[in-house]
Amino acid sequence: MRGQPAGTFEGEREIITNGQAVLVIIGAILAVTAIALPGPAIEEAGNDAYLSTALASVPAYVSAALFYYTGRRYRWEGPLGYLPRVFGQLAGKAVLLVHLVFFVLVAAAVGQEVPSVLGAVTMPLTPPWVFVAATVLTASYVAYLGVENFSRLAQIVLPFLLAVLLVVPVMVGRFAEVGYLLPILGDGWRPVLRGMAVPLAIRLEGAILFAFLLPHMMSPRRALRAGAVISSALALVLAVNAISVMTVFSPEIASTLQIPTLSLARMIRLGAVEHLETLVLGPWLMALMLKFAFYTYLASRILQAVSGVRDWKALVFPIAALTGALGLYLLPDSARLNASLSEVRPGLALLVAFVVPSVTLAVSLIRGRGHPARQEQAG
Amino acid sequence: MPRTGGNREGATKKGRRKRLAAPPEDAKTAGELAAPRPIPQLETKGTAPLPARRPELPGKPEDRSGDGLLGRLAGRRRRPSARHLDFAPEGRSVGGRELRQLAPSLRRVPVNKALETNRSYFNQAFGPSWDIVYRDLLMGAKHRAALVIYIDGLVNKDAIQEFVIKPLTLEATMAGLGGELAGRNPLSAIQSRVVSIGELRLTDDLAEAADRVCGGETVLFVEGLDRALVMDTRGWRDRAVTEPQTEVTIRGPREGFTETLKTSTALIRHRLKTPRLRLERMLVGDYTRTDVVVAYIEDLARRELVSEVRARMNKIQIASVIESQYIEELIKDNPWSLFPLIQSTEYPERVVSALLEGRVAIMADTTPFALIVPVTFLSFLHSAEDHFQAPVLASFLRIVRGICVVIGLWGSAFYVAAVTFHPELIPSQLLERLVAARRGVPFGVAIEILILELAFEVLREAGVRLPRPVGQAVSIVGALVLGQSAVTAGLVSPAGVIVVAFAAICSLSLPNYWVATNMRLLRYPLVLLGASLGLFGLSLGTGVILAHLTSLRSFGTPYLAPLAPFSFTSFVTDGLLRAPRKTMTRNPSLFGSPTMGLARSGPAGNKDGA
């Protein structure tokens, strides 16, 4: 039975194509990693950091598969639907609250990325709260429009970000010294695995987003294929980015750079035009805003499911404002921001992206035939 | 939910017919009707001036001069106020309750067998109107009384005289039809053997007859019959078919729509010689009773789309439709958006192309602008002559127009942001010149740009409103002399003038004038964002604009299609690019099929996900 097609005149459902879902998730990942990474990975893995960033996609794909198979057991519902059914209403809502905390904290960090970068690069005199307030207002509007609309927005914006991230390494290629990448695996695999921590944390966010986007996908059965595309694309783009940064600056210098990609862009010259890093910021800022909007949207939906509020749209602006304020309070400078990225988020991401879905799937399998979902499937 | 103007209870066409209080049947009226009146002069015209057709002025209780047709039919004396007749900004007609009071329903009034009763009805309805003509005549050899009513100025009088009056009076007699005309059913003979008008219909409703007379038709009443013959004798003076003023093409046909609906629909028929072309007529506007035609091609347009157009049109309740923009505003999905969600055009080729793509056109009488639905943003980058040129050239020009949109919207704002916050973006030599040129300018960059933008708008508006000989001189004086003087006086910088002028020219390069005009309004907030938050502000502003665009739909079609949601075929074939005609073997999926609406292959809750 086909569902009600979106785009009809009445009874519209929020449905996105698998391609749009891919772009949304890739954009959400690149919005942070494109600028901030691969510094933390280079610190641990040295010249093998590109392997860390590439391999981080594998566990993320496994996590996405966990969500996929769990969702399949519950007719492609997302965590909002199956968590209360698996754990019961009370425990399910408690688990959802963990997700809510996760999204709010990550969004707060995302909101703080803007003043952190812009204040350092181009507008040092502007107070951080101005950036955060503007981001909150814009993201609230975008989140209010719903997942279908901002998926379309991502479809327009993200190709520009991808293009920038792929063009910049090409344009600075003449400064690259391939010798900086040698020797490959000179210190073995352990540094590579240690270097995966921060990239993995961010990739796991993508898996969590994948889980929440699953109910909206046009072809949920092919969602795992979309997950593979996401993992591969991220592995490729971020590996290229890491290689470019290390070959141009050397691993020792690259590990100390706060914003390696921007530093790369700063080296580009087109005739008399310089300082093109400012232009690189444009698509990145929009991707950040989209990520903030998406997380605000998800937090609103979770809060609506937990609290029973009738319309999630009423919660969008309060949550966005609260998140922005939280970021200003908890992460007022780049040191704390980097600390949250390397110390707090990996653990939280592992909890939400691996522990919770594993336990959910296990409980669902254990409850087996007695489970209402299976009864309905059998019926 | 699609926005609809008018009655939210979903009044149907039948439901919109108002109830009319029956004419008072007091003794005086009956006495007047009972006495036979002498045959009046051939043409009788009222002596009083025609009352105002649009009672816009607020009426005082004692002011009767504006009583309109419907007020008279209802026997009401009160003059409606303008507020009650204006259309509410929310898209709902205030005609919910108020119009029913002020423009009471036209209950069916059966045609009377007595000619004088029918004449009285028309006298009462039209009042002392100087242009309504009552022509009494005697048909055939047996001199059966008949009455012809029409409005002078709306009809082809030669046709009436040659094909109606003369046949009924002289030729019927000569043809020996006296017996049939005096019989029980002379209308049958009149239709088939006497009157030579092409379009005839019978009616037994006086209200409908009055409506028809208002529309330029002629009504024939026959003594002793309770039905009337309505003849299409429309023949008012209308403008000749000329080249469209708002859409100029270098290559392609030169005909444009006119204010006469029949002429406009004929232009479409001339180009689409298929019986599958449907032209559904409806009347909109309680006072103007404007003829509106919904055009589509039966097997190309989606049934849901046609039904939706019909439903929205039927829900319109409005006092008047002066121009198609009234209809556009009432049926569009989001009346507050600056981006047009319905396309308007004077060019028949554009309508024909749209119909062939599976879209629907709406054409109204008294306006040369036809409406096309649905529409996408990329449609406004298309010129009518894109299909009359080589595909490579057409594609190149479309890309140029797309670049012009970007420059037109963001050019001034980017300049302000770069000069204020990001001077490092500007090459150093250019930066030196800019700084030198701005020396002495008393305003900041943002204020300077805003002043220049406003000045350009004033000049543009003056150029449009002034008579042509004066308008050109004012444009030249304003643009050249004032601009040069302002720069020389140091009020503005040359760079500012260049940036604003170039951005304005880019915005005006769009084929659709109103799209360009509406989008220019967005430049002001973007300039303010650029001035306050630099490129960050521009990025956020762009995000808001794009988010708004993605949320828009035009009759169900996403506004940014085929860009988002992305459809490679539509994008390449006839989106931003124009593919060679050999590759255009199928109708675009955007409008002609439901695939653009995404359908879930396995909705949540479905048992097998299929």
Side-chain angles (χ1 to χ4, degrees), chain A residues 1-3 5-7 9 12-13 15 17 20 75-76 114 118 122-123 130-131 134-135 138 141-142 145 148-149 152-153 155-156 214-215 217-221 272 274-275 278 282 285-286 379, chain B residues 1-2 304-305 308 414 421-422 424-425 427 533 535-536 539-540 542-544 546-548 550-551 553 555-556 558 560 563-566 597-610:
Chain A
M1 184 179 81
R2 292 174 77 79
F9 303 110
E12 286 190 18
R13 295 172 58 183
I15 298 176
T17 64
Q20 285 174 330
R75 299 183 207 166
W76 310 116
V114 176
L118 285 181
T122 180
M123 298 166 73
V130 172
F131 294 117
T135 307
T138 314
Y141 174 66
V142 173
L145 295 175
E148 194 176 313
N149 291 315
R152 285 188 209 145
L153 186 55
Q155 206 171 16
I156 298 171
L214 201 57
M217 287 190 198
M218 193 167 76
S219 306
R221 282 184 157 188
E274 301 174 340
H275 292 283
T278 316
L285 284 169
M286 290 187 61
Chain B
M1 289 293 289
E304 298 89 350
L305 174 62
E308 181 65 20
F414 185 80
F421 287 95
H422 311 288
E424 68 273 10
L425 274 176
L533 292 172
L535 281 184
F536 171 67
S539 301
L540 292 187
T542 306
V544 170
L546 287 175
H548 175 64
T550 57
S551 70
R553 286 180 185 274
F555 283 76
L560 282 185
L563 203 54
F566 185 68
L598 306 174
R600 180 89 184 247
S601 63
N606 191 321
K607 177 160 87 162
D608 54 3

Side-chain angles (χ1 to χ4, degrees), chain B residues 139-334:
Chain B
M139 299 191 301
K142 300 213 173 170
H143 296 172
R144 187 157 186 179
L147 173 64
V148 171
I149 304 176
Y150 60 87
I151 292 180
D152 190 2
L154 291 183
V155 299
N156 182 343
K157 285 171 72 170
D158 292 335
I160 293 176
Q161 286 160 12
E162 283 299 313
F163 304 129
V164 178
I165 296 176
K166 193 173 165 184
L168 284 173
T169 52
L170 293 175
E171 292 173 6
T173 305
M174 291 165 62
L177 293 173
E180 289 183 61
L181 295 179
R184 290 185 66 184
N185 187 16
L187 287 178
S188 172
I190 291 171
Q191 284 184 89
S192 55
R193 297 165 71 181
V194 179
V195 169
S196 309
I197 299 293
E199 202 175 321
L200 303 171
R201 62 174 71 84
L202 292 173
T203 182
D204 57 359
D205 180 8
L206 278 176
E208 184 189 344
D211 255 353
R212 298 281 180 194
V213 167
C214 286
E217 294 176 273
T218 300
V219 175
L220 169 70
F221 294 99
V222 179
E223 180 70 43
L225 290 186
D226 59 1
R227 287 190 297 171
L229 184 66
V230 178
M231 299 166 281
D232 185 2
T233 54
R234 281 176 275 201
W236 55 77
R237 289 187 181 279
D238 60 345
R239 184 168 61 88
V241 173
T242 54
E243 187 172 359
Q245 298 295 310
T246 56
E247 292 174 69
V248 179
T249 57
I250 298 169
R251 178 172 175 172
R254 296 275 188 266
E255 290 179 325
F257 291 131
T258 68
E259 285 76 4
T260 304
L261 185 58
K262 275 203 170 176
T263 308
S264 300
T265 54
L267 289 173
I268 302 295
R269 283 277 185 204
H270 180 54
R271 287 155 175 78
L272 276 175
K273 298 181 182 66
T274 169
R276 290 195 171 84
L277 173 64
R278 303 280 182 261
L279 301 174
E280 293 181 5
R281 175 178 173 257
M282 46 185 69
L283 290 176
V284 182
D286 288 299
Y287 284 84
T288 57
R289 310 292 283 163
T290 307
D291 281 312
V292 176
V293 157
V294 173
Y296 60 94
I297 298 179
E298 176 77 32
D299 51 2
L300 292 181
R302 282 170 57 194
R303 211 173 302 160
E304 298 89 350
L305 174 62
V306 176
S307 303
E308 181 65 20
V309 172
R310 228 183 260 133
R312 293 193 197 187
M313 292 295 299
N314 284 333
K315 286 184 184 178
I316 294 176
Q317 282 214 348
I318 188 172
S320 60
V321 172
I322 309 297
E323 217 276 335
S324 56
Q325 205 277 339
Y326 285 54
I327 298 172
E328 178 181 342
E329 205 171 305
L330 295 176
I331 65 174
K332 67 195 289 189
D333 289 76
N334 186 340

